[in-house]
Structure formats: C-alpha cells, structure tokens
Amino acid sequence: GAVVSQHPSRVICKSGTSVKIECRSLDFQATTMFWYRQFPKQSLMLMATSNEGSKATYEQGVEKDKFLINHASLTLSTLTVTSAHPEDSSFYICSARPGGGNTEAFFGQGTRLTVV
Amino acid sequence: AQTVTQSQPEMSVQEAETVTLSCTYDTSESDYYLFWYKQPPSRQMILVIRQEAYKQQNATENRFSVNFQKAAKSFSLKISDSQLGDAAMYFCAYRTHSGSRLTFGEGTQLTVNP
C-alpha cells in the first residue's frame, strides 16, 4: 500500500514556541491531506483539510491562526502549532488519499506533541 | 450531517474465539463507503476492511468479516479466531462516495485474553 510518513514522531517544546509537523506522501501525489487530533482513548477529530496550492479548510472550532497548515507541494503538508500551550499537547495524525474514486486513505505514524 | 456511533467502548475476547464489534451510522446518502480501522498501541492507523454501500455482499478479509445491513444502517465487524495481535482500538468510519474526509466513530477498545 501507499506510504505516508509523518515527522517527528515525538516532540517536546516550551510554552510560547512554535513547532512544525511534516506529513509526506512517499510514493503518490496527494492534492488533499487531512490533519487530525486525538486525545487519549478518544477518536480522531478532524482539524483541517489541507489543499495543495490553496488555503486549508478548517473545522469549526479550530483556530486557523494557531494551527497553520501549508500544502506547498503534492507530497508535503505541514502543520505548525504556534505559540504552543500545554493544552495543545496531544497526538496529531495526518492522512492522505492517492488519486480519487474509491481509493483508501493512508495514515502517518502520528506525532506526540508535549508542551511544557 | 453524517454520524458514526460505536456503542461498545470496550470489548474482550478469549484467544481463538470470535468477537463482534458494533457500529451504526446515519446518512442521507445512498452511495458511500464504510471502513474498519485498527489502532494498536503504536497508534498507527491500519485499514482492516472496507465495504462499498452499493455492494450487497459482505466484505471479508481473512479472519475479518463484516455484517452490512444498509436498511438498518449497521456495519458490524466480526473477528474470528482472535489472536493476541488483534488487541487494539477499533474505529468504524464513513466516507461519502465522492468525498475525501472520513467520519469516525468513538472507537472500541478490544482486549484479547490468552
């Protein structure tokens, strides 16, 4: 199957700093990628849809200025958590789907963000 | 709006036995896809099985099969001959036919007892 690589897998940052998470589709092009947030023992919550070459579409309640998404190429989307706060500590997962039609979505390994 | 409900937060099964995980969904669409994803302790999301709504035949993948009841909007997952490696969180998910985004259920934590 297709591979989606997410980096870093773990990151610790200080409050007030920014941290960038990368999501790459290694063997396919993805015009659309998705960013999820997952709290312990809970489901995946869609944060935003990342569209190559255009602005991301954010879900209701997600702060656009705090969670900056850039999808500069067909294989790379980045999520930047700005002015990180301990409440931003969570597990972040990206996914991408090659092509259209009935192809399945593939997920990155996830990033554990801890803000201290 | 589409919703996906998993009413079993936790389930347990003895190794080699069979277990069924429940999922119901709500949609006004007639054509869509349903999925079961597995999330082991590594947190990597793994696709277990998928069902296309226009297909009446239930999908199967080795020890995993589904019972898809379109009229009842029910999509349960049966795991036969359970193995220790099946222990994970299982998520039911929905996607419209033409859409890209997935809607996930709350998840069911499956424990496999040796």
Side-chain angles (χ1 to χ4, degrees):
Chain A
V3 178
V4 174
S5 177
Q6 191 172 338
H7 179 80
S9 59
R10 294 174 182 268
V11 60
I12 299 173
C13 70
K14 292 184 178 180
S15 291
T17 64
S18 297
V19 60
K20 180 184 290 186
I21 303 170
E22 294 186 346
C23 180
R24 294 180 183 273
S25 54
L26 297 186
D27 49 4
F28 66 95
Q29 293 183 333
T31 55
T32 304
M33 293 185 177
F34 302 90
W35 287 95
Y36 296 88
R37 183 172 180 175
Q38 186 180 31
F39 291 105
K41 298 191 181 298
Q42 293 190 22
S43 187
L44 282 71
M45 179 189 77
L46 181 64
M47 298 175 64
T49 302
S50 172
N51 304 299
E52 188 269 334
S54 64
K55 291 182 179 180
T57 304
Y58 289 81
E59 295 299 303
Q60 191 173 9
V62 178
E63 298 177 59
K64 301 178 182 180
D65 295 332
K66 180 165 193 60
F67 299 100
L68 300 179
I69 291 172
N70 183 278
H71 195 152
S73 77
L74 287 172
T75 59
L76 174 64
S77 175
T78 60
L79 168 67
T80 301
V81 183
T82 63
S83 299
H85 197 269
E87 283 71 29
D88 299 325
S89 298
S90 190
F91 192 70
Y92 294 86
I93 309 175
C94 71
S95 79
R97 193 160 68 96
N102 62 357
T103 56
E104 64 182 85
F106 295 90
F107 289 81
Q109 307 95 315
T111 298
R112 162 66 64 195
L113 170 64
T114 303
V115 183
V116 297
Chain B
Q2 297 88 8
T3 59
V4 178
T5 302
Q6 293 178 247
S7 58
Q8 304 156 317
E10 299 178 345
M11 290 284 284
S12 63
V13 63
Q14 289 296 128
E15 195 175 3
E17 297 295 309
T18 296
V19 64
T20 299
L21 308 184
S22 301
C23 173
T24 59
Y25 58 94
D26 188 25
T27 183
S28 59
E29 303 285 331
S30 59
D31 199 10
Y32 46 87
Y33 296 94
L34 295 165
F35 306 85
W36 278 98
Y37 281 91
K38 169 184 178 181
Q39 189 180 41
S42 68
R43 308 292 291 271
Q44 174 73 57
M45 294 288 285
I46 302 167
L47 178 66
V48 175
I49 198 165
R50 77 174 189 180
Q51 175 79 42
E52 297 169 76
Y54 68 87
K55 291 186 176 180
Q56 293 186 344
Q57 186 173 7
N58 289 325
T60 62
E61 286 288 341
N62 300 314
R63 297 183 296 108
F64 299 88
S65 62
V66 298
N67 183 3
F68 173 48
Q69 300 291 326
K70 191 173 184 178
K73 296 179 181 176
S74 171
F75 182 61
S76 61
L77 173 70
K78 186 171 80 171
I79 305 174
S80 303
D81 186 25
S82 297
Q83 301 176 0
L84 295 177
D86 295 333
M89 180 75 90
Y90 286 82
F91 292 101
C92 178
Y94 166 100
R95 177 170 71 81
T96 61
H97 178 75
S98 57
S100 297
R101 56 183 292 172
L102 289 167
T103 300
F104 287 93
E106 303 92 334
T108 297
Q109 181 68 50
L110 177 66
T111 300
V112 180
N113 300 310

